[in-house]
Every structure is written in C-alpha cells, then in structure tokens.
Amino acid sequence: MIVINVMTCIPMSNKTPTEVMHSKIYVEDHVRRRIIDDWKSSHITPELNYLSQDIDVKFCDNYIPYHHPLIDEESDDHGLYCLGNGISTSMPHVQYVVFGEGWNKSRGCLMEAIIAWSYGKKIFAYTGNKFIRDFDVYKHAVAELQNIIIE
C-alpha cells in the first residue's frame, strides 16, 4: 500500500476549536480524491496501474488546542507557537500541504504556503469553492504578505 501524507493548514484566528476541526474535515473530504489523482498522474505509469487500488491518504494531526499550558491564548505568541510547531513537526513528513478557506488572509497560512512551496511540497489551497495549487498558491501568498507588511 502507498500512503500519501498530508498536512492540513486551517486559519485559526477568531474560530473556536470546533470550527477549526469542522473546517479541517471539510477540506480533507474535498481534497482526498484530488491528491490521489495528482499522485497517480506523476507516479503511476501504465505498467504500474495496478497500484492505483492501494493508495491511501493520511492526514497528519497537527492541530494544537488553544489551551496550551505554556502559551497565553490571548497573545500573538499562541499563533506563532502553532505555526512553528506545524512547520517543525508535521511538514517534514508530508508530501502535500493543503490549505482551507481563508488561508489567504491568515499570516500563519501564508507563511506555511511559502515554506511548503520552497521545500518542494505539493500544495492545494481551497479558495471560493475551487482549488488552486503549487506555484499559484506561492505567488498569491507572497503578494498577500507584501500587502500585510506595507499596511
């Protein structure tokens, strides 16, 4: 069996833990088939087509609850802690990074998109009921971060 490991990045600001988990599940349900098709298109040749029945997508659990004992949940440090933890503990072990709705307005998701693309991860980002991918996500993230820095 082939296992494709995926990291899901969901904006967390102004959301309850339940809302974050619902967003995560929604994106994962909608992207699973796309990831399998994308992987097949770049890895499975006609000779290896028999492998297509044995592909599983595994989403890593990179969610950190808001009540972390070392971080004041009212400060920006909580978001920074979550960002650093996701990048250091989850991203090195995945082939794909998937972003949920609102990713393009989240500083953390924008940074994760730039890092994921820079390190050769495949990317899907859910925006307005459609997915954009790879370099288009990177370009969008760079432009959005420039707008945040200038403002």
Side-chain angles (χ1 to χ4, degrees):
M1 172 172 294
I2 296 168
V3 177
I4 303 168
N5 294 306
V6 181
M7 177 179 168
T8 309
C9 303
I10 303 295
M12 294 176 58
S13 296
N14 302 317
K15 289 184 181 178
T16 66
T18 302
E19 291 170 329
V20 171
M21 291 310 295
H22 283 293
S23 296
K24 181 175 172 44
I25 291 166
Y26 181 82
V27 170
E28 289 172 358
D29 287 347
H30 283 80
V31 78
R32 182 180 306 277
R33 182 83 242 154
R34 288 179 183 271
I35 289 172
I36 291 171
D37 291 344
D38 184 71
W39 193 91
K40 283 183 196 178
S41 71
S42 60
H43 289 86
I44 297 181
T45 64
E47 299 81 35
L48 296 177
N49 197 29
Y50 67 91
L51 292 175
S52 64
Q53 300 302 317
D54 294 334
I55 297 174
D56 187 29
V57 176
K58 180 182 175 199
F59 293 95
C60 65
D61 184 15
N62 59 326
Y63 176 69
I64 299 172
Y66 281 99
H67 300 290
H68 191 281
L70 300 177
I71 305 294
D72 177 11
E73 68 182 81
E74 300 299 321
S75 76
D76 277 348
D77 291 342
H78 179 76
L80 185 59
Y81 177 82
C82 292
L83 173 67
N85 189 67
I87 291 168
S88 65
T89 62
S90 298
M91 200 176 286
H93 308 287
V94 302
Q95 293 83 36
Y96 287 81
V97 180
V98 178
F99 295 89
E101 186 69 48
W103 72 276
N104 54 328
K105 299 299 179 200
S106 164
R107 289 179 299 174
C109 288
L110 293 170
M111 294 301 297
E112 286 171 320
I114 291 170
I115 292 167
W117 187 84
S118 299
Y119 282 88
K121 305 299 180 182
K122 296 285 218 162
I123 304 170
F124 283 102
Y126 193 67
T127 305
N129 293 328
K130 67 177 185 170
F131 282 97
I132 60 175
R133 50 180 301 172
D134 297 329
F135 190 63
D136 289 335
V137 174
Y138 172 79
K139 289 189 303 187
H140 192 83
V142 169
E144 287 294 332
L145 276 174
Q146 286 175 336
N147 289 337
I148 290 170
I149 292 168
I150 292 171
E151 293 174 358

